[in-house]
Amino acid sequence: MIVVYLFILYSALISVADGNHFLGGTISWRPLNTSATGSPVAITIIQTYSWTYSFIPCTQATVASNAYVPSYGGLAAEVLECIYNCATGAIGYPNISVIPRCTDFSVAAGITTGQRSDTVYLDINDDFAAAFRDSSWRPLATNANASWAISTRIIVKPRTDTGYFNSAPVATVMSPINIPYNKSISITIPVADADGDTLRCRWANKSNGINECRGVCPPNSLPPNTIIYPNCTIVINGQNLSDWYAVAVTVEDFINSSSITPLSSVPVQFLVHVISASSCPTLPEIIGIPLEYS
């Protein structure tokens, strides 16, 4: 088995609204003050997205000036909208914009990445899900025009162990990831949690009124026998050369290893591309023992 470690590159990739170049994404959130008292509670939401460079090009100048990414196909009007428990569980949430500021780009790889951070003021005990939804992903092996939903669950309740407010997990990913044809590949998604909570990964799904994946819900969106483990390792085998697949994962934090009730959930979505295996007889290797989540 070949193992792929995703080194820290906060690249959640998202396409343009109404264009077929969505590549994935991630969202996280945290309280400004974990020991805050009273209501409302200041919560910072961090969205990181990337697009095909030819449609939304950032430059060294726009990165240096902290400029917003160019709007394309109505992107500037898109919002991270409440999709679950909105009437009573999202008091104070205003449906924030998704258009980020330029942070990175690669002309050679054809990628633009941007991030934005917003602080919202929510009622204590708020519990809701918010999502960026549109279409579509680049043409995939399972769907030529798949729509996307990238969503996070925000729960503003004091923890039962410390009495402080919870911080959601943070995940990092690279997209797209090239995998060799007809080889079993292990992809490990680095995840971390400021509270030191137990973290588990699962496939994104449609349940309890929350659609986390729309047109790319696993396992039907992936090659047969693709597996995800709770430690955020995915085993995948691309059996058709040149196929593209969208991988939609949800990361959840738990107060301890025996708990089955998540404190929050964050999305990780990225592309996998099946390519010809390298003819080089010398495989790459990692020197030394990498730190967990590195």
Side-chain angles (χ1 to χ4, degrees):
M1 178 183 290
I2 296 174
V3 179
V4 177
Y5 288 94
L6 303 183
F7 293 98
I8 294 178
L9 173 63
Y10 224 135
S11 107
L13 284 108
I14 196 170
S15 152
V16 292
D18 304 320
N20 60 352
H21 302 280
F22 181 75
L23 306 175
T26 190
I27 304 167
S28 187
W29 58 269
R30 62 176 183 266
L32 277 183
N33 180 4
T34 59
S35 60
T37 58
S39 191
V41 181
I43 301 291
T44 299
I45 300 172
I46 305 97
Q47 304 174 73
T48 309
Y49 304 122
S50 302
W51 294 265
T52 301
Y53 175 84
S54 60
F55 286 84
I56 301 184
C58 284
T59 65
Q60 290 182 349
T62 56
V63 171
S65 64
N66 200 31
Y68 289 105
V69 303
S71 180
Y72 174 86
L75 178 63
E78 298 289 338
V79 295
L80 187 71
E81 62 180 322
C82 181
I83 60 169
Y84 167 77
N85 203 26
C86 303
T88 59
I91 306 302
Y93 182 69
N95 285 345
I96 58 178
S97 174
V98 299
I99 191 166
R101 299 179 184 275
C102 291
T103 56
D104 300 280
F105 69 94
S106 170
V107 177
I111 296 169
T112 289
T113 302
Q115 187 178 89
R116 70 175 293 132
S117 177
D118 297 272
T119 299
V120 296
Y121 295 87
L122 306 178
D123 273 13
I124 192 170
N125 295 322
D126 269 0
D127 178 355
F128 66 100
F132 177 21
R133 303 180 294 180
D134 213 312
S135 63
S136 57
W137 288 87
R138 61 149 296 129
L140 305 171
T142 57
N143 192 327
N145 193 39
S147 57
W148 77 78
I150 180 165
S151 69
T152 182
R153 181 78 174 268
I154 299 175
I155 302 175
V156 189
K157 296 179 180 179
R159 298 168 58 102
T160 58
D161 57 348
T162 64
Y164 294 161
F165 290 104
N166 185 58
S167 295
V170 174
T172 61
V173 69
M174 293 186 295
S175 178
I177 296 172
N178 292 330
I179 64 172
Y181 163 71
N182 204 29
K183 290 184 182 292
S184 184
I185 300 297
S186 174
I187 300 173
T188 300
I189 303 172
V191 292
D193 187 271
D195 304 308
D197 293 327
T198 297
L199 301 181
R200 300 180 195 133
C201 281
R202 60 170 174 81
W203 293 133
N205 60 39
K206 304 174 185 177
S207 64
N208 300 318
I210 303 175
N211 187 336
E212 299 174 328
C213 41
R214 292 185 92 182
V216 294
C217 293
N220 294 335
S221 61
L222 297 170
N225 303 315
T226 302
I227 301 170
I228 188 169
Y229 293 97
N231 68 352
C232 301
T233 297
I234 297 167
V235 178
I236 185 171
N237 188 325
Q239 300 170 5
N240 295 297
L241 193 63
S242 300
D243 275 356
W244 287 84
Y245 296 95
V247 182
V249 173
T250 296
V251 186
E252 296 174 320
D253 55 338
F254 298 83
I255 205 162
N256 55 49
S257 59
S258 61
S259 175
I260 59 172
T261 304
L263 300 170
S264 65
S265 65
V266 299
V268 183
Q269 298 185 10
F270 58 94
L271 284 172
V272 167
H273 184 208
V274 183
I275 63 172
S276 298
S278 172
S279 59
C280 178
T282 305
L283 295 176
E285 60 179 312
I286 297 174
I287 306 300
I289 301 174
L291 296 174
E292 187 175 15
Y293 303 137
S294 67

